[in-house]
Each structure stands twice: as structure tokens, then as C-alpha cells.
Amino acid sequence: MRWIKPFIIIISFLLFSCEIVEPELNNPLDTEANAEKGINPPALVFSPSSVSTSIGGNAILRVYAMEVTGVAGIHAKIQYDNTKLVVSSVSPGTFFNSTQPPIFIYEDNAGVLDIFTFYMGSDKTKDGTGDVALITFRPTLAGQSQVQFTDESELVDPNDQPITINGLGTGVVNAQ
């Protein structure tokens, strides 16, 4: 019986000393969270929306088409600070994958990255949410750098007619 009192004290201490912490989830593809930022689908966003690395390290951002319908082509025009960031590589995402790979072209011009990709599947268009491209930035200076889509970004249907984009996300690269 002597052990019951210490046992109750230890159990009580453990129960009352533990704190339940709810994690803060940062999902850039969360429609409700994006709506609070004024980004409603169809949209182009970055995932993750913020990435940290060291100077000379790699900061990888994915370009996502969010809740799109009837898309045959995407032009993502991305502006970044070329005094702080260098584009190391750009590669196609999986959104336009089919039996035939998408046409994928990019051009990097001193702070403006143009990505052009076109769906080559037999059904001619793609719907849904998916990654369009993977961009690897290399920070050259410490600090925070914003990466953002310009208003010249566009979604097009198979007849090259524009599809309205309701939201353009931003990304941040933190270099230390």
C-alpha cells in the first residue's frame, strides 16, 4: 500500500505537466487558407510557400496549378531578385504527364523566369491540382527574397484561349 501514494503523485504530475500542442500546418494548396490571402482557384501557387537554406545551398520551390479545369497550356512568368538568387535548374512537374511527355520550355532572363508547358495527352486538356514545374534557386546573399508570379502568367485551353486565373501566389526564400 505504500507504493500507491507515490504512484498517484507521479501519474498526476505527468497528466498535469504535459501540454498538448496543436501543430501549425502550412499547406500552400489549402483552398481555405489561400482564400484568406485572396488567392482563389483557379490559381498558380508555390509549394512550399517559404523555404530556408544557406548561402550557396538549394532552395526548391514547386509551381502548382490549383483547381484548374480544361487547361492545355500554362505560361508561368515568375519574378525574383537576381541580386540574391540564381536559378540553378528548372524541370517539368507531373501535372501534364500522360503517355506522351509534355512540351516544356523555360527561359531565365535576369530576374524573370518564363516557364511554358503544354499538355500532349490524347484527351487534350487537364483538370485538377498538380505540380507544373520544379525550380531550384541558389541564394548568393543572406536575407529574404520574394518570388512571385506576374500578371502575365496564363492558363490556356486547347484553342489557345485564356482561362481566367483568380489567384497568383508568392514564395519566399530565406538564406542564412
Side-chain angles (χ1 to χ4, degrees):
M1 292 296 232
R2 291 181 148 180
W3 60 272
I4 290 178
K5 190 173 181 180
F7 182 73
I8 291 174
I9 292 172
I10 291 171
I11 293 297
S12 298
F13 176 73
L14 289 175
L15 288 174
F16 293 111
S17 67
C18 294
E19 181 181 347
I20 298 174
V21 178
E22 288 192 34
E24 289 185 33
L25 302 176
N26 183 12
N27 180 1
L29 302 177
D30 181 2
T31 304
E32 288 178 27
N34 279 320
E36 291 173 7
K37 297 176 193 173
I39 301 172
N40 295 303
L44 292 174
V45 296
F46 294 103
S47 178
S49 57
S50 179
V51 65
S52 295
T53 188
S54 59
I55 296 173
N58 288 330
I60 299 171
L61 293 176
R62 290 187 184 274
V63 173
Y64 271 84
M66 189 173 78
E67 296 185 30
V68 298
T69 304
V71 174
I74 297 174
H75 172 209
K77 190 168 194 131
I78 300 165
Q79 193 168 7
Y80 65 94
D81 185 350
N82 66 332
T83 64
K84 293 183 179 179
L85 298 174
V86 172
V87 175
S88 296
S89 67
V90 181
S91 57
T94 60
F95 184 64
F96 279 161
N97 280 359
S98 70
T99 54
Q100 195 167 18
I103 294 174
F104 186 86
I105 303 164
Y106 72 92
E107 187 174 329
D108 182 23
N109 289 317
V112 178
L113 177 65
D114 283 294
I115 299 172
F116 299 91
T117 185
F118 304 94
Y119 184 57
M120 300 304 290
S122 59
D123 43 353
K124 298 188 184 186
T125 65
K126 197 76 170 170
D127 301 335
T129 297
D131 62 328
V132 175
L134 182 135
I135 307 167
T136 303
F137 289 101
R138 184 174 43 84
T140 57
L141 294 174
Q144 195 175 69
S145 301
Q146 191 170 33
V147 179
Q148 60 190 12
F149 294 98
T150 73
D151 290 337
E152 294 175 50
S153 299
E154 63 181 343
L155 307 173
V156 294
D157 69 12
N159 298 320
D160 200 30
Q161 295 301 308
I163 296 170
T164 302
I165 299 175
N166 291 329
L168 297 170
T170 59
V172 175
V173 175
N174 294 307
Q176 301 165 355

